[in-house]
Amino acid sequence: MLYLCVILEISENKGLTIKVNGRKLLPTLRSKLVARTAVITLVGLVAVSVYLFYMLQRHDMDIIRQEMRGRAKHFRTGLLSTMMSTGDPVAIREAVDSFKKFRDIKFRIFRSRYVLDQFGAREGEIPTDKKILDVLKGTLPEYDNLSGTTFRYIMPYVSDQRCQKCHVDLEGNPIPIGSIMGATEFIFDITERRNEAVGLVYTLLGGILALIAVIVVSLYRMFSGGVLKPIKILTTNMARLEKEDFGIFCPQQETLELDLLMRQTSHMAGALENKKMEREKMLEKERKKLDQIRSFALKQAGSLGIKGEGEITHIIDRLSAAVKEVEKAEQFAHICEFITYEKKELILENDVSLVRPASLYLTDVISGKYSNVKKG
């Protein structure tokens, strides 16, 4: 009858441990390979996704920033052309209002202190936001920010020689070249572009995932046939050798290391089989000796009138011991022929009872029952 005992042990350091019949159940090489491949693939996909989203966002930000900068320059050129060609505030205001009618971009223009002092303030053109004030003061060359799907861009208008024809400073002199005349703010919704970027990322991830799947399947098939299958054959052979079943199967492998391991396993099986045969021969020889001793003891017991099973068994045991002692003496005498020097040293305690055993031992050593070595 086979009993199966499964024990679950939970500890803080090692976590969950499964034991079957008192032995820890280890994971298979196949399961560890699949688990680690899945973890590495998942981590790789997450890392690639983050990198792709980051790079696409940077790319979109650069494109939008360049686009906003181009529109700001375009508006500045149109505004200066209107100012220089007409000098009419109404026409200038119509140019600004026409630019505000773009559907995809929210546009605002803010006046600097020079323009406010010269032309006064208009509703919605007085700066209050800190970022706009920093741009107008010159502490920020320009400003852009992406919040959610809303992109905000602020660019200053710097005066040149053309601005000196119409604008003056706070003292009434022509405005100095390089002075900040105002700033424009563009607010742009990038939802559509972000959706396109996300779709592109998903398409790339799908392609990468398909490529990884093909690579993983190919590597797994190669690893399964070239490593997992041979290891399974080796473990099966080891289990059969443990049960003294030497009819193992060791096929030739594709790699040098595994093929060498298979051949060594086959040689080990042959060596173990030879040892088993030698052991069986020795046991058979011992059995025959015991049978001869028993036969002899039974004949002698019959002639001596001994019929008790206990006495017969005792005689057989003594004869077996005597035969073994004779064999031991023959072997000892044979090896003593090769002994050229032997030294023995006894260190005895201060005990009178040890004198007789020591004398008997020394007498036996000096007598040299089985040795031809000269004693000194």
Side-chain angles (χ1 to χ4, degrees):
M1 183 178 294
L2 177 64
Y3 293 93
L4 181 64
C5 178
V6 180
I7 301 176
L8 302 180
E9 295 182 356
I10 301 177
S11 62
E12 295 181 358
N13 298 330
K14 298 182 179 180
L16 178 62
T17 302
I18 303 176
K19 291 186 176 180
V20 179
N21 292 339
R23 298 181 63 182
K24 183 179 178 181
L25 185 62
L26 299 175
T28 62
L29 183 61
R30 187 187 302 272
S31 63
K32 293 195 72 173
L33 176 65
V34 172
R36 292 192 178 184
T37 303
V39 171
I40 293 173
T41 302
L42 181 60
V43 172
L45 285 176
V46 172
V48 170
S49 302
V50 172
Y51 177 75
L52 287 177
F53 277 116
Y54 172 73
M55 293 302 297
L56 284 174
Q57 181 174 347
R58 284 191 56 184
H59 181 262
D60 289 343
M61 285 283 292
D62 291 340
I63 292 178
I64 295 171
R65 189 179 295 112
Q66 293 176 7
E67 183 179 342
M68 294 299 103
R69 190 179 290 116
R71 292 197 180 192
K73 291 180 178 179
H74 176 71
F75 172 74
R76 180 177 184 275
T77 302
L79 189 62
L80 285 174
S81 299
T82 304
M83 288 180 179
M84 296 178 66
S85 61
T86 63
D88 185 5
V90 177
I92 296 172
R93 174 53 48 189
E94 289 178 352
V96 174
D97 292 339
S98 65
F99 199 86
K100 289 182 178 181
K101 293 179 180 179
F102 280 105
R103 295 182 180 180
D104 58 339
I105 299 177
K106 293 181 180 180
F107 167 77
R108 289 194 300 172
I109 187 170
F110 300 95
R111 298 185 176 188
S112 67
R113 55 178 181 166
Y114 305 110
V115 181
L116 289 174
D117 183 70
Q118 184 177 359
F119 296 101
R122 292 183 62 87
E123 183 179 0
E125 296 182 355
I126 300 176
T128 57
D129 186 87
K130 184 178 184 306
K131 298 300 180 182
I132 297 175
L133 291 173
D134 290 340
V135 172
L136 290 174
K137 291 177 183 178
T139 56
L140 279 178
E142 62 179 7
Y143 174 76
D144 61 77
N145 178 53
L146 179 62
S147 178
T149 58
T150 302
F151 181 80
R152 184 186 182 199
Y153 178 74
I154 303 173
M155 180 179 179
Y157 287 156
V158 182
S159 63
D160 55 16
Q161 66 275 9
R162 293 173 296 179
C163 299
Q164 292 180 334
K165 296 180 181 180
C166 301
H167 295 278
V168 295
D169 59 12
L170 298 178
E171 297 178 356
N173 299 318
I175 190 76
I177 296 175
S179 301
I180 297 177
M181 305 296 298
T184 53
E185 179 189 50
F186 298 88
I187 298 177
F188 182 64
D189 187 8
I190 64 167
T191 301
E192 184 177 352
R193 296 194 181 192
R194 174 163 291 182
N195 291 336
E196 292 177 356
V198 170
L200 179 59
V201 169
Y202 285 153
T203 302
L204 290 175
L205 288 177
I208 293 173
L209 184 60
L211 179 61
I212 291 176
V214 172
I215 294 174
V216 168
V217 170
S218 301
L219 290 177
Y220 177 78
R221 290 175 63 88
M222 181 180 66
F223 190 78
S224 178
V227 178
L228 293 180
K229 187 176 179 181
I231 290 178
K232 185 176 181 180
I233 294 174
L234 286 172
T235 54
T236 303
N237 289 337
M238 291 299 176
R240 296 180 67 178
L241 290 178
E242 187 178 3
K243 298 178 181 179
E244 294 190 349
D245 180 6
F246 304 106
I248 62 175
F249 174 66
C250 295
Q252 186 176 2
Q253 300 300 311
E254 299 177 357
T255 57
L256 176 62
E257 295 80 4
L258 288 174
D259 187 63
L260 179 61
L261 188 59
M262 285 288 184
R263 285 190 278 114
Q264 289 179 345
T265 304
S266 180
H267 293 163
M268 182 176 63
L272 291 175
E273 187 175 12
N274 292 334
K275 288 184 178 181
K276 181 182 178 182
M277 294 174 63
E278 291 177 0
R279 185 174 70 252
E280 290 177 351
K281 289 180 180 179
M282 291 179 61
L283 293 175
E284 181 65 20
K285 187 177 180 181
E286 290 291 332
R287 189 185 62 79
K288 289 181 178 180
K289 287 182 180 179
L290 290 175
D291 290 342
Q292 292 175 358
I293 292 171
R294 184 174 182 83
S295 177
F296 175 78
L298 290 174
K299 289 180 181 179
Q300 294 298 323
S303 63
L304 296 174
I306 301 173
K307 298 182 179 180
E309 186 67 27
E311 294 182 6
I312 294 175
T313 303
H314 179 66
I315 293 173
I316 293 173
D317 292 338
R318 292 188 65 181
L319 287 173
S320 298
V323 171
K324 290 181 180 179
E325 286 295 327
V326 170
E327 291 181 349
K328 180 179 177 182
E330 291 177 353
Q331 294 175 3
F332 188 77
H334 179 65
I335 198 64
C336 284
E337 296 176 1
F338 303 96
I339 297 176
T340 59
Y341 178 79
E342 185 177 6
K343 179 180 179 180
K344 294 182 181 295
E345 182 178 357
L346 272 71
I347 301 175
L348 303 177
E349 298 178 358
N350 190 10
D351 189 353
V352 179
S353 63
L354 297 176
V355 174
R356 181 173 174 75
S359 63
L360 293 174
Y361 175 75
L362 292 174
T363 301
D364 182 68
V365 171
I366 294 174
S367 64
K369 184 186 296 183
Y370 305 113
S371 177
N372 297 322
V373 181
K374 296 180 179 180
K375 276 74 176 181

